[in-house]
Amino acid sequence: MCFKELEESFKDHCGIFGIYCPDGKLDVAKITYFGLYALQHRGQESSGIAVNDSGNIIYHKDSGLVNEVFNEVVLNHLKGYSAIGHVRYSTTGKSDRENAQPLVIKYRKGHMALAHNGNLVNAHIIREKLEQEGAIFQTTIDSEVIASLISRNRIKSENIEEAILKTMNEIKGAYSLLILTPNKLIAVRDPYGLRPLVMGKINNSICFASETCALDTIGAEYIRDVEPGEIISVSRNGVKSIKYENGTKHLCVFEFIYFARADSYLEGISVYEIRKRLGKQLCKESYVDCDIVIGVPDSGTTAAIGFAEEAGIPFSEGFIKNRYIGRTFIKPEQTQREIAVKIKLNVLKNNVAGKRVVLIDDSIVRGTTSRKIIKMLRDAGASEVHLRISSPPVVFPCYYGIDTPDRKELIAANYSTEEIARILGADSLEYLSLNGLNEVFNGEIHQFCTACFSGEYVTEIPENFNKYILEEGV
């Protein structure tokens, strides 16, 4: 089993950030750098920044973390009055340098840079059609399909916004986009709002980010979320909002359960408070008499605090997390695979020895990491380990930009809860119910995408979609 298999948690596609400073008084490249730094949790494989320099788009991107790709010399070269940036985790397309974003393209009507968070479900259909018409693609990512469509539609459109509207008629799936042209910064969100995108203001500059934590980092004021199906165009003429259609809110619920940073607000809702409420509701549904409650850091910690408060059981740290594992981490040999988990998490033995432990985590995908974590607690002397999950069982794959395996690899799709508990070595296992999740969101769960729990996708999924992704890597 390789290290990537051990890292079984969901991975979000990426994070995006952009800023438009009409008077040029802000260092937009450095502000974008810090914005991306705040969004690093959304993608650790590559990063990039593109800047509008007096009508010319210059850029720098590479594989690696934000602080590995950029330094003072590089940032000082990226001068201009508007910029977009991207951090990436690959769900479609190989993790190669050529697939790093933003994408910068030149076409008949000019040039642009594009950064994309999400995943199209019909990208392979569109790409095949374009290739038959003579189009040439330089990457294996669906983001280039979007860029190609916009450039083609721009030829017969009065402006870039009209070209984007035409493109939105053709693409299906999840997309939050930032598009940089020689005179505009444009934010776009798909009609279902599957991936997050917020708008802020710093001085007289407008900025956009995947999460509000990036706005907080640069000292920007949150204005509002970009609405589903909305195009916001920022130029020297001001801010213009265009609606593709009256969108319906279906933000991915896992943004609250796992992806977003706990200090972020999405759709005006505190991620931290939701995670606490998840823990409280989980306790109401599956209380167990134990000595301490611990969370799997970091995503399980806040839910564990909520569970402990509701149960009246002490919350305790069970693990110390190593936060300094970068992309250059040397993977252990097959015979040393236990190191792959222990290098990331180590048990606080004094806290768990002889204790009946409630272990809180946000989800179970394959179960490989959960099994090893439970074994670590046993080895440290825990007398009982009761696993509680602050989301319903994941029984369907996601097609909208989250790295989930084929359904046959999802442990909850193939085994009962009791069987999974035995496989993982837990004394008991309980998940939050879908009704309980609805309770946490005050009966408004219909405003979120829960397809990985229910199988009810907000768009039609093309036949053999998984087969195409695995074979072609688009």
Side-chain angles (χ1 to χ4, degrees):
M1 185 177 296
C2 69
F3 183 70
K4 189 168 185 177
E5 288 174 322
L6 291 171
E7 290 205 282
E8 65 151 7
S9 296
F10 286 144
K11 302 293 191 302
D12 190 26
H13 197 189
C14 48
I16 56 178
F17 182 91
I19 183 169
Y20 186 96
C21 178
D23 59 17
K25 291 182 178 179
L26 296 178
D27 190 328
V28 294
K30 286 189 177 178
I31 288 176
T32 302
Y33 169 86
F34 290 119
L36 293 180
Y37 216 111
L39 298 171
Q40 186 73 86
H41 59 286
R42 299 185 70 89
Q44 297 89 43
E45 292 190 355
S46 65
S47 56
I49 296 173
V51 172
N52 180 356
D53 178 24
S54 301
N56 296 315
I57 296 177
I58 56 176
Y59 66 96
H60 180 80
K61 57 183 179 177
D62 207 341
S63 299
L65 302 174
V66 175
N67 67 329
E68 294 174 326
V69 173
F70 296 97
N71 55 39
E72 289 283 350
V73 174
V74 172
L75 291 172
N76 286 336
H77 175 69
L78 298 173
K79 294 300 182 183
Y81 63 86
S82 59
I84 61 173
H86 188 275
V87 289
R88 180 173 190 262
Y89 177 85
S90 61
T91 57
T92 63
K94 295 182 293 183
S95 178
D96 292 337
R97 183 179 182 274
E98 68 189 28
N99 289 335
Q101 296 188 44
L103 294 177
V104 180
I105 65 168
K106 293 183 178 181
Y107 62 104
R108 182 175 174 181
K109 288 280 188 174
H111 53 293
M112 67 177 174
L114 179 145
H116 171 209
N117 176 24
N119 205 60
L120 302 185
V121 298
N122 66 338
H124 61 289
I125 298 171
I126 297 172
R127 179 169 174 142
E128 285 180 348
K129 179 177 180 292
L130 292 175
E131 286 178 331
Q132 288 173 0
E133 295 173 356
I136 298 173
F137 289 88
Q138 302 296 321
T139 75
T140 59
I141 56 177
D142 56 357
S143 309
E144 191 177 11
V145 171
I146 300 174
S148 180
L149 285 175
I150 293 174
S151 65
R152 286 178 169 234
N153 288 327
R154 178 67 182 91
I155 295 172
K156 296 181 180 180
S157 302
E158 291 188 8
N159 51 52
I160 186 72
E161 292 87 354
E162 183 181 327
I164 293 169
L165 284 168
K166 290 179 180 177
T167 300
M168 293 174 75
N169 278 323
E170 300 177 75
I171 57 178
K172 306 297 180 185
Y175 52 92
S176 284
L177 307 173
L178 290 178
I179 300 167
L180 190 66
T181 74
N183 53 20
K184 294 177 181 178
L185 170 61
I186 302 171
V188 186
R189 199 171 177 202
D190 73 71
Y192 298 100
L194 286 159
R195 302 258 68 83
L197 190 61
V198 298
M199 180 181 181
K201 184 177 182 180
I202 177 170
N203 299 335
N204 66 336
S205 301
I206 297 294
C207 52
F208 300 93
S210 293
E211 296 179 33
T212 59
C213 65
L215 303 183
D216 295 337
T217 296
I218 66 167
E221 173 190 357
Y222 165 77
I223 298 176
R224 63 178 177 87
D225 287 56
V226 178
E227 292 294 320
E230 184 179 21
I231 301 169
I232 299 179
S233 179
V234 186
S235 68
R236 294 189 184 276
N237 295 324
V239 179
K240 181 172 67 172
S241 173
I242 304 167
K243 273 300 192 73
Y244 164 71
E245 63 179 39
N246 291 323
T248 58
K249 292 184 178 181
H250 283 90
L251 176 66
C252 171
V253 75
F254 255 100
E255 290 288 349
F256 286 96
I257 295 169
Y258 174 68
F259 296 131
R261 241 173 60 170
D263 54 334
S264 286
Y265 285 75
L266 300 174
E267 307 292 352
I269 304 170
S270 165
V271 173
Y272 181 88
E273 289 303 319
I274 288 294
R275 289 182 185 167
K276 247 185 114 169
R277 290 173 61 183
L278 289 169
K280 287 178 178 288
Q281 183 66 30
L282 180 62
C283 179
K284 292 175 183 177
E285 295 183 359
S286 58
Y287 171 84
V288 60
D289 185 23
C290 279
D291 301 310
I292 59 170
V293 179
I294 65 174
V296 178
D298 292 310
S299 55
T301 300
T302 310
I305 292 171
F307 190 103
E309 287 184 3
E310 185 68 26
I313 299 172
F315 168 79
S316 180
E317 284 190 287
F319 302 94
I320 295 298
K321 183 178 182 179
N322 184 343
R323 305 181 190 280
Y324 301 98
I325 298 177
R327 66 188 177 96
T328 55
F329 172 64
I330 298 172
K331 283 69 174 176
E333 299 293 335
Q334 183 77 6
T335 56
Q336 302 172 317
R337 60 190 181 187
E338 297 295 331
I339 296 175
V341 172
K342 290 183 178 179
I343 201 73
K344 293 185 67 179
L345 292 176
N346 200 29
V347 180
L348 287 165
K349 295 180 181 179
N350 288 346
N351 287 5
V352 304
K355 303 285 180 61
R356 298 170 300 164
V357 175
V358 182
L359 175 65
I360 310 294
D361 205 355
D362 63 271
S363 60
I364 303 175
V365 184
R366 295 180 180 91
T368 50
T369 298
S370 300
R371 184 171 63 248
K372 295 182 183 301
I373 288 174
I374 290 170
K375 183 179 184 298
M376 289 166 63
L377 291 171
R378 299 276 195 202
D379 292 343
S383 60
E384 297 177 17
V385 180
H386 298 271
L387 183 58
R388 296 293 181 267
I389 304 299
S390 62
S391 65
V394 176
V395 291
F396 296 94
C398 175
Y399 301 105
Y400 301 126
I402 298 171
D403 181 26
T404 52
D406 188 88
R407 194 177 183 195
K408 65 185 179 182
E409 297 182 49
L410 297 170
I411 193 169
N414 297 280
Y415 298 95
S416 69
T417 299
E418 293 74 18
E419 288 172 329
I420 296 170
R422 287 196 295 272
I423 292 169
L424 301 184
D427 290 282
S428 70
L429 165 65
E430 296 289 346
Y431 295 87
L432 182 69
S433 68
L434 198 52
N435 285 336
L437 187 64
N438 188 34
E439 184 76 18
V440 168
F441 285 96
N442 299 317
E444 299 294 327
I445 198 62
H446 61 277
Q447 294 191 7
F448 299 91
C449 179
T450 58
C452 56
F453 308 137
S454 64
E456 297 176 2
Y457 298 98
V458 300
T459 66
E460 182 180 352
I461 306 301
E463 189 176 355
N464 296 326
F465 178 81
N466 268 344
K467 180 176 184 293
Y468 185 88
I469 292 297
L470 291 172
E471 290 182 351
E472 301 296 333
V474 172

